[in-house]
């Protein structure tokens, strides 16, 4: 599978992610010039993340199983590549937070408040983004599988799953780093679940450490 991602294909298959990327790029030249480059990058990332969360959340809230199936069928074979790139970007955002918080000494209150705000927005937004993008990928794998024995088995066999079922499965892994009462039935899906579990384990550790660091900095400040 080629690692090259064509923009027309990305826009067609993932319009919400494409819109979020465009918003982040448009915001870049509009940010204050006196902001450090890393602060500007984090602000653009946060805009991208929260636009993605908002648009995906709106779509998921009103979509039925027919909408999910159409969206799943639009996604192409580049899904694992895009998922890997986004997961890497989430980890890089954590590194950016560490760098931002490591240079807060002697900063004025306004600059300090900006860095803390960006750190919180990045932590929360990136965590939600992980759950939503894996949810979308699970829905894709479920609905492109035409076999009778689907990759995911839900307890209510008579109910056609919608995004709430996939969000439940994905965010259970995000929160507890384990699966719930949903059965994983294929090797391909086990690989995806393993990848999300490892990512979420280290992300949750990072969130805990950075949260303690933020709280200590605020108390000492």
């Amino acid at each position: 599978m080629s690692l090259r991602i064509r923009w027309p294909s990305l826009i067609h298959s993932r319009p919400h992610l494409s819109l979020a990327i465009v918003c982040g790029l448009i915001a870049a030249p509009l940010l204050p010039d006196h902001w450090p480059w890393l602060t500007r990058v984090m602000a653009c990332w946060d805009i991208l993340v929260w636009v993605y969360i908002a648009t995906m959340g709106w779509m998921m809230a009103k979509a039925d199983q027919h909408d999910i199936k159409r969206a799943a069928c639009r996604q192409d074979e580049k899904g694992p590549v895009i998922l890997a790139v986004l997961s890497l970007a989430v980890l890089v955002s954590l590194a950016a937070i560490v760098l931002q918080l490591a240079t807060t000494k002697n900063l004025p209150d306004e600059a300090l408040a900006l860095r803390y705000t960006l750190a919180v927005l990045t932590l929360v937004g990136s965590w939600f983004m992980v759950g939503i993008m894996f949810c979308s990928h699970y829905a894709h794998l479920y609905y492109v599988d035409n076999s009778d024995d689907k990759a995911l088995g839900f307890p209510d066999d008579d109910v056609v799953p919608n995004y709430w079922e996939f969000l439940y499965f994905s965010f259970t892994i995000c929160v507890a780093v384990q699966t719930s009462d949903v059965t994983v039935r294929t090797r391909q899906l086990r690989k995806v679940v393993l990848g999300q579990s490892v990512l979420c384990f280290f992300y949750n550790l990072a969130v805990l450490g950075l949260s303690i660091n933020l709280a200590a900095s605020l108390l000492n400040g």
Side-chain angles (χ1 to χ4, degrees):
M1 177 173 52
S2 172
L3 293 179
R4 185 179 178 184
I5 299 174
R6 287 180 169 81
W7 280 101
S9 174
L10 179 64
I11 293 171
H12 171 73
S13 62
R14 293 170 177 79
H16 305 284
L17 176 60
S18 302
L19 174 63
I21 293 173
V22 169
C23 290
L25 293 175
I26 291 175
L30 303 178
L31 296 175
D33 294 333
H34 65 274
W35 284 10
W37 70 270
L38 187 56
T39 301
R40 293 165 63 90
V41 170
M42 285 186 63
C44 291
W45 170 254
D46 286 338
I47 292 170
L48 184 159
V49 166
W50 285 102
V51 169
Y52 177 78
I53 291 172
T55 55
M56 286 292 288
W58 174 258
M59 182 271 293
M60 289 178 173
K62 59 189 185 70
D64 58 20
Q65 63 266 27
H66 304 294
D67 298 321
I68 301 173
K69 191 169 185 176
R70 283 193 294 268
C73 292
R74 282 201 308 266
Q75 297 183 22
D76 56 20
E77 71 278 3
K78 298 297 191 301
V81 177
I82 295 173
L83 196 64
V85 171
L86 289 175
S87 298
L88 178 61
V90 166
L91 294 177
V92 171
S93 72
L94 291 179
I97 294 175
V98 173
L99 291 175
Q100 282 278 82
L101 297 181
T103 57
T104 57
K105 191 175 182 180
N106 299 324
L107 282 177
D109 291 341
E110 183 178 332
L112 200 59
L114 174 63
R115 294 202 177 187
Y116 286 148
T117 300
L118 286 177
V120 172
L121 286 174
T122 304
L123 277 177
V124 177
S126 296
W127 187 83
F128 274 105
M129 186 178 187
V130 169
I132 291 174
M133 67 188 189
F134 273 94
C135 161
S136 178
H137 192 61
Y138 292 136
H140 166 71
L141 293 178
Y142 183 91
Y143 278 104
V144 296
D145 183 5
N146 295 318
S147 64
D148 294 332
D149 193 15
K150 295 287 190 179
L152 283 175
F154 294 95
D156 303 323
D157 293 332
D158 57 333
V159 176
V160 180
N162 60 19
Y163 274 120
W164 289 110
E165 276 75 33
F166 296 108
L167 284 169
Y168 165 73
F169 179 68
S170 180
F171 276 95
T172 299
I173 298 174
C174 286
V175 173
V177 195
Q178 66 178 19
T179 57
S180 54
D181 52 348
V182 181
T183 307
V184 181
R185 295 172 173 168
T186 67
R187 178 176 296 176
Q188 179 186 9
L189 195 59
R190 289 189 191 97
K191 292 178 181 178
V192 179
V193 171
L194 175 62
Q196 184 186 2
S197 299
V198 173
L199 175 64
C200 290
F201 174 77
F202 287 107
Y203 192 92
N204 291 345
L205 282 181
V207 168
L208 178 62
L210 289 170
S211 298
I212 294 173
N213 183 280
L214 276 172
S217 299
L218 290 172
L219 290 175
N220 293 334

